[in-house]
Amino acid sequence: AQTVTQSQPEMSVQEAETVTLSCTYDTSESDYYLFWYKQPPSRQMILVIRQEAYKQQNATENRFSVNFQKAAKSFSLKISDSQLGDAAMYFCAYKGRGAQKLVFGQGTRLTINP
Amino acid sequence: DAGVIQSPRHEVTEMGQEVTLRCKPISGHDYLFWYRQTMMRGLELLIYFNNNVPIDDSGMPEDRFSAKMPNASFSTLKIQPSEPRDSAVYFCASSFRGPRQFFGPGTRLTVL
């Protein structure tokens, strides 16, 4: 069974600085998707960024980028120019290409200090 | 599009009572998922449907939980009888021919 591990329960960063959230996963599959979801206090699960395992290029969405290391099974999220609105729980998630189930990590609570 | 709609947003009930959570997926989506979020277990899939048919209910914790999807625009998750350990946030999500799942706002259930 696939597992996703987020080893940082909490992180904090100064506003305008850069922060990196870590995620590792375990799978025997070669084709899959990886996601980062943001959950603010409103509880809404918001997709931040997505990576297809077959793509070597790291995904980027504005201030958000990932470092995907397939051999190491590592998928970290970098947030540049942190803003107060980035404060939230961040979840890393895995989905096999042929599966429908999302497997989530335990989450990292990100605090932005003004 | 209105997105995935869940009701109620909050539910407080007493142990032993029946609870029904409701979900309206995004129009045209053919997959519907129910997830539960707790502090102890995080986010976990309970059950999912494809074209209104339950495909995998291996995450349903026990027989007290049941889910139905009578048509493409409506699903329910029922807990009968409810117990304090069922207190959690329950999310509904939907998708259409792609890896991305669109989540509803969730229902926070408190069982006293």
Side-chain angles (χ1 to χ4, degrees):
Chain A
Q2 294 81 16
T3 58
V4 177
T5 302
Q6 293 178 248
S7 59
Q8 306 154 315
E10 296 183 354
M11 291 281 286
S12 64
V13 65
Q14 291 295 125
E15 191 177 3
E17 296 295 308
T18 296
V19 63
T20 299
L21 308 184
S22 300
C23 172
T24 59
Y25 58 95
D26 187 26
T27 183
S28 59
E29 298 174 317
S30 60
D31 200 5
Y32 48 86
Y33 301 92
L34 295 163
F35 308 84
W36 278 97
Y37 279 88
K38 171 186 177 181
Q39 186 179 41
S42 67
R43 291 202 310 261
Q44 183 72 50
M45 294 290 287
I46 302 166
L47 179 64
V48 175
I49 200 165
R50 177 180 106 196
Q51 175 79 43
E52 285 95 319
Y54 67 86
K55 290 186 178 179
Q56 293 187 341
Q57 185 172 7
N58 289 325
T60 299
E61 289 287 343
N62 300 313
R63 297 182 295 107
F64 299 87
S65 62
V66 299
N67 183 5
F68 173 49
Q69 300 290 326
K70 190 172 184 179
K73 296 180 182 175
S74 170
F75 183 62
S76 61
L77 174 70
K78 185 172 82 171
I79 306 174
S80 303
D81 186 24
S82 298
Q83 300 176 359
L84 294 178
D86 296 332
M89 283 290 290
Y90 285 82
F91 292 94
C92 179
Y94 169 100
K95 178 184 170 305
R97 176 171 282 275
Q100 294 301 323
K101 176 181 178 180
L102 279 172
V103 178
F104 287 90
Q106 287 297 99
T108 296
R109 182 175 301 280
L110 178 64
T111 301
I112 311 296
N113 300 314
Chain B
D1 201 318
V4 176
I5 299 172
Q6 290 187 247
S7 64
R9 292 296 309 276
H10 306 274
E11 177 80 31
V12 180
T13 190
E14 293 189 348
M15 183 174 62
Q17 296 298 306
E18 178 180 294
V19 175
T20 299
L21 310 182
R22 296 172 175 80
C23 175
K24 177 179 169 56
I26 293 173
S27 178
H29 283 195
D30 56 351
Y31 283 90
L32 183 138
F33 306 84
W34 283 100
Y35 289 88
R36 180 173 69 174
Q37 183 178 29
T38 61
M39 288 296 293
M40 290 298 296
R41 300 176 64 88
L43 277 151
E44 53 182 349
L45 179 68
L46 299 178
I47 184 171
Y48 78 89
F49 296 81
N50 179 219
N51 292 323
N52 314 337
V53 176
I55 303 300
D56 183 356
D57 65 354
S58 60
M60 296 285 263
E62 48 197 278
D63 291 345
R64 297 184 297 106
F65 286 69
S66 63
K68 294 182 179 180
M69 192 166 186
N71 57 63
S73 60
F74 184 66
S75 177
T76 60
L77 178 67
K78 185 175 293 186
I79 308 172
Q80 166 64 20
S82 58
E83 296 183 4
R85 60 195 168 114
D86 301 331
S87 297
V89 179
Y90 291 81
F91 286 100
C92 177
S94 69
S95 70
F96 175 71
R97 296 185 185 179
R100 181 178 178 179
Q101 296 180 15
F102 294 78
F103 283 77
T107 294
R108 178 177 293 281
L109 173 65
T110 302
V111 183
L112 302 174

